[in-house]
Short mmCIF file of all heavy atoms in Angstrom, two decimals:
data_model
loop_
_atom_site.label_atom_id
_atom_site.label_comp_id
_atom_site.label_asym_id
_atom_site.label_seq_id
_atom_site.Cartn_x
_atom_site.Cartn_y
_atom_site.Cartn_z
N ARG A 22 105.75 -46.20 -35.83
CA ARG A 22 106.29 -44.88 -35.66
C ARG A 22 105.25 -43.89 -35.03
O ARG A 22 105.67 -42.79 -34.40
CB ARG A 22 106.53 -44.25 -37.11
CG ARG A 22 107.85 -44.92 -37.90
CD ARG A 22 108.00 -44.18 -39.19
NE ARG A 22 106.93 -44.80 -40.07
CZ ARG A 22 107.15 -45.92 -40.82
NH1 ARG A 22 108.32 -46.52 -40.87
NH2 ARG A 22 106.26 -46.30 -41.63
N ALA A 23 104.00 -44.14 -34.98
CA ALA A 23 103.00 -43.35 -34.44
C ALA A 23 103.05 -43.45 -32.82
O ALA A 23 103.39 -44.62 -32.36
CB ALA A 23 101.68 -43.78 -34.87
N ASP A 24 102.81 -42.44 -32.13
CA ASP A 24 102.89 -42.38 -30.66
C ASP A 24 101.47 -42.72 -30.11
O ASP A 24 100.53 -41.76 -29.93
CB ASP A 24 103.45 -41.02 -30.18
CG ASP A 24 103.65 -40.99 -28.76
OD1 ASP A 24 103.16 -41.80 -27.99
OD2 ASP A 24 104.46 -40.12 -28.31
N ILE A 25 101.27 -44.03 -29.75
CA ILE A 25 99.96 -44.36 -29.34
C ILE A 25 99.61 -43.84 -28.02
O ILE A 25 98.46 -43.26 -27.73
CB ILE A 25 99.85 -45.92 -29.29
CG1 ILE A 25 100.04 -46.49 -30.68
CG2 ILE A 25 98.62 -46.36 -28.51
CD1 ILE A 25 99.88 -48.03 -30.69
N THR A 26 100.60 -43.65 -27.13
CA THR A 26 100.35 -43.20 -25.80
C THR A 26 99.92 -41.61 -25.91
O THR A 26 98.94 -41.27 -25.16
CB THR A 26 101.56 -43.30 -24.87
OG1 THR A 26 101.94 -44.61 -24.76
CG2 THR A 26 101.40 -42.74 -23.48
N ALA A 27 100.73 -40.89 -26.67
CA ALA A 27 100.36 -39.41 -26.77
C ALA A 27 98.97 -39.23 -27.45
O ALA A 27 98.30 -38.46 -27.16
CB ALA A 27 101.32 -38.81 -27.50
N THR A 28 98.66 -40.05 -28.41
CA THR A 28 97.32 -40.01 -29.09
C THR A 28 96.26 -40.30 -28.10
O THR A 28 95.25 -39.71 -28.10
CB THR A 28 97.38 -41.02 -30.23
OG1 THR A 28 98.41 -40.77 -31.16
CG2 THR A 28 95.95 -40.92 -31.01
N LYS A 29 96.35 -41.44 -27.37
CA LYS A 29 95.39 -41.66 -26.33
C LYS A 29 95.14 -40.56 -25.47
O LYS A 29 93.97 -40.19 -25.03
CB LYS A 29 95.71 -42.87 -25.53
CG LYS A 29 95.62 -44.23 -26.33
CD LYS A 29 96.08 -45.41 -25.40
CE LYS A 29 95.86 -46.71 -26.00
NZ LYS A 29 96.34 -47.80 -25.23
N ARG A 30 96.21 -39.98 -24.98
CA ARG A 30 96.10 -38.84 -24.00
C ARG A 30 95.31 -37.67 -24.61
O ARG A 30 94.40 -37.10 -23.92
CB ARG A 30 97.51 -38.39 -23.59
CG ARG A 30 97.48 -37.22 -22.72
CD ARG A 30 98.99 -36.69 -22.24
NE ARG A 30 98.88 -35.51 -21.52
CZ ARG A 30 98.89 -34.22 -22.09
NH1 ARG A 30 98.99 -34.25 -23.38
NH2 ARG A 30 98.86 -33.20 -21.41
N LEU A 31 95.68 -37.33 -25.90
CA LEU A 31 95.04 -36.12 -26.40
C LEU A 31 93.49 -36.39 -26.65
O LEU A 31 92.68 -35.66 -26.62
CB LEU A 31 95.75 -35.70 -27.63
CG LEU A 31 96.69 -34.57 -27.49
CD1 LEU A 31 97.47 -34.20 -28.70
CD2 LEU A 31 96.09 -33.28 -26.85
N LEU A 32 93.27 -37.69 -27.19
CA LEU A 32 91.84 -38.12 -27.43
C LEU A 32 91.01 -37.94 -26.12
O LEU A 32 89.81 -37.52 -26.14
CB LEU A 32 91.81 -39.55 -27.93
CG LEU A 32 92.12 -39.60 -29.47
CD1 LEU A 32 92.01 -41.14 -29.96
CD2 LEU A 32 91.05 -38.85 -30.36
N SER A 33 91.56 -38.38 -25.07
CA SER A 33 90.87 -38.26 -23.78
C SER A 33 90.68 -36.89 -23.35
O SER A 33 89.58 -36.58 -22.72
CB SER A 33 91.74 -38.96 -22.75
OG SER A 33 90.94 -39.07 -21.49
N ILE A 34 91.45 -36.01 -23.67
CA ILE A 34 91.31 -34.49 -23.49
C ILE A 34 90.31 -33.83 -24.41
O ILE A 34 89.46 -33.13 -24.04
CB ILE A 34 92.67 -33.77 -23.56
CG1 ILE A 34 93.72 -34.17 -22.50
CG2 ILE A 34 92.44 -32.25 -23.51
CD1 ILE A 34 95.10 -33.58 -22.68
N LEU A 35 90.31 -34.24 -25.59
CA LEU A 35 89.61 -33.58 -26.62
C LEU A 35 88.19 -34.16 -26.81
O LEU A 35 87.20 -33.42 -27.24
CB LEU A 35 90.33 -33.63 -27.98
CG LEU A 35 91.66 -32.80 -28.01
CD1 LEU A 35 92.34 -33.09 -29.41
CD2 LEU A 35 91.33 -31.22 -27.86
N GLN A 36 87.93 -35.43 -26.59
CA GLN A 36 86.67 -36.01 -26.74
C GLN A 36 85.71 -35.72 -25.55
O GLN A 36 86.36 -35.68 -24.41
CB GLN A 36 86.67 -37.48 -26.98
CG GLN A 36 87.36 -37.92 -28.28
CD GLN A 36 86.63 -39.15 -28.98
OE1 GLN A 36 85.61 -39.02 -29.73
NE2 GLN A 36 87.14 -40.23 -28.72
N THR A 37 84.55 -35.73 -25.68
CA THR A 37 83.67 -35.36 -24.54
C THR A 37 83.82 -36.38 -23.43
O THR A 37 84.02 -37.64 -23.70
CB THR A 37 82.16 -35.37 -24.98
OG1 THR A 37 81.33 -35.11 -23.90
CG2 THR A 37 81.80 -36.63 -25.72
N SER A 38 83.70 -35.92 -22.28
CA SER A 38 83.65 -36.92 -21.01
C SER A 38 82.32 -37.65 -20.94
O SER A 38 82.25 -38.51 -20.12
CB SER A 38 84.02 -36.24 -19.79
OG SER A 38 82.99 -35.17 -19.55
N SER A 39 81.37 -37.28 -21.87
CA SER A 39 80.09 -37.96 -21.66
C SER A 39 79.80 -38.48 -23.08
O SER A 39 78.82 -38.06 -23.82
CB SER A 39 78.99 -37.02 -21.25
OG SER A 39 79.18 -36.39 -20.01
N PRO A 40 80.47 -39.53 -23.62
CA PRO A 40 80.25 -40.06 -24.89
C PRO A 40 78.89 -40.64 -25.12
O PRO A 40 78.42 -41.28 -24.24
CB PRO A 40 81.40 -41.01 -25.00
CG PRO A 40 81.81 -41.37 -23.70
CD PRO A 40 81.48 -40.25 -22.77
N SER A 41 78.40 -40.41 -26.24
CA SER A 41 77.15 -40.86 -26.54
C SER A 41 77.20 -42.49 -26.87
O SER A 41 77.83 -42.87 -27.85
CB SER A 41 76.52 -40.28 -27.78
OG SER A 41 75.30 -40.93 -28.29
N TYR A 42 76.42 -43.17 -26.22
CA TYR A 42 76.27 -44.71 -26.38
C TYR A 42 75.36 -44.87 -27.59
O TYR A 42 75.50 -45.96 -28.20
CB TYR A 42 75.66 -45.29 -25.15
CG TYR A 42 76.96 -45.75 -24.12
CD1 TYR A 42 77.39 -44.84 -23.38
CD2 TYR A 42 77.47 -46.93 -24.16
CE1 TYR A 42 78.56 -44.98 -22.46
CE2 TYR A 42 78.61 -47.28 -23.25
CZ TYR A 42 79.04 -46.26 -22.45
OH TYR A 42 80.12 -46.44 -21.66
N VAL A 43 74.49 -43.89 -27.93
CA VAL A 43 73.86 -44.10 -29.13
C VAL A 43 74.71 -44.11 -30.32
O VAL A 43 74.64 -44.92 -31.26
CB VAL A 43 72.73 -42.98 -29.34
CG1 VAL A 43 72.05 -43.04 -30.62
CG2 VAL A 43 71.81 -43.07 -28.12
N LEU A 44 75.70 -43.12 -30.40
CA LEU A 44 76.70 -43.15 -31.54
C LEU A 44 77.60 -44.39 -31.49
O LEU A 44 77.85 -44.94 -32.46
CB LEU A 44 77.53 -41.84 -31.40
CG LEU A 44 76.78 -40.50 -31.53
CD1 LEU A 44 77.72 -39.36 -31.43
CD2 LEU A 44 76.01 -40.53 -32.95
N MET A 45 78.02 -44.69 -30.36
CA MET A 45 78.97 -46.02 -30.17
C MET A 45 78.30 -47.13 -30.60
O MET A 45 78.74 -48.13 -31.21
CB MET A 45 79.52 -46.04 -28.82
CG MET A 45 80.54 -44.90 -28.55
SD MET A 45 81.48 -45.04 -26.95
CE MET A 45 80.15 -44.79 -25.76
N SER A 46 76.97 -47.23 -30.44
CA SER A 46 76.14 -48.38 -30.77
C SER A 46 76.13 -48.36 -32.31
O SER A 46 76.09 -49.48 -32.91
CB SER A 46 74.73 -48.37 -30.26
OG SER A 46 74.65 -48.56 -28.80
N SER A 47 75.88 -47.28 -32.99
CA SER A 47 75.87 -47.16 -34.25
C SER A 47 77.25 -47.55 -35.02
O SER A 47 77.20 -48.22 -36.05
CB SER A 47 75.53 -45.70 -34.74
OG SER A 47 75.60 -45.54 -36.17
N ILE A 48 78.33 -47.20 -34.40
CA ILE A 48 79.71 -47.68 -34.90
C ILE A 48 79.75 -49.11 -34.72
O ILE A 48 80.18 -49.84 -35.83
CB ILE A 48 80.70 -47.01 -34.08
CG1 ILE A 48 80.78 -45.44 -34.32
CG2 ILE A 48 82.25 -47.65 -34.48
CD1 ILE A 48 81.78 -44.76 -33.42
N ASP A 49 79.30 -49.81 -33.67
CA ASP A 49 79.39 -51.18 -33.59
C ASP A 49 78.60 -51.84 -34.61
O ASP A 49 78.99 -52.86 -35.19
CB ASP A 49 78.98 -51.54 -32.17
CG ASP A 49 79.08 -52.99 -31.75
OD1 ASP A 49 80.30 -53.43 -31.82
OD2 ASP A 49 78.16 -53.62 -31.45
N TYR A 50 77.40 -51.40 -34.82
CA TYR A 50 76.51 -52.04 -35.72
C TYR A 50 76.98 -51.98 -37.17
O TYR A 50 77.01 -52.92 -38.00
CB TYR A 50 75.09 -51.25 -35.76
CG TYR A 50 74.07 -51.91 -36.52
CD1 TYR A 50 73.35 -53.10 -36.01
CD2 TYR A 50 73.63 -51.55 -37.78
CE1 TYR A 50 72.32 -53.73 -36.78
CE2 TYR A 50 72.78 -52.15 -38.54
CZ TYR A 50 72.06 -53.23 -38.01
OH TYR A 50 71.13 -53.85 -38.81
N CYS A 51 77.58 -50.77 -37.49
CA CYS A 51 78.18 -50.52 -38.73
C CYS A 51 79.43 -51.59 -39.04
O CYS A 51 79.38 -52.27 -40.07
CB CYS A 51 78.65 -49.22 -38.90
SG CYS A 51 79.56 -48.73 -40.51
N LEU A 52 80.21 -51.67 -37.98
CA LEU A 52 81.40 -52.56 -38.29
C LEU A 52 80.82 -54.07 -38.29
O LEU A 52 81.46 -54.79 -39.11
CB LEU A 52 82.39 -52.40 -36.92
CG LEU A 52 82.97 -50.96 -36.85
CD1 LEU A 52 83.66 -51.07 -35.53
CD2 LEU A 52 83.98 -50.81 -38.00
#
């Protein structure tokens, strides 16, 4: 029921265009 396409679009608008790889590395390590 969720609209994945619309969600992706808004995330791309709202999240920084310079995402931190330090933070993403931390997510990866946690998972």
Side-chain angles (χ1 to χ4, degrees):
R22 287 178 287 267
D24 190 333
I25 294 178
T26 301
T28 303
K29 285 181 178 178
R30 176 180 173 274
L31 269 179
L32 281 175
S33 188
I34 292 171
L35 295 170
Q36 293 220 88
T37 176
S38 60
S39 301
S41 167
Y42 276 78
V43 177
L44 295 179
M45 291 188 288
S46 294
S47 178
I48 293 173
D49 187 60
Y50 188 82
C51 176
L52 294 174

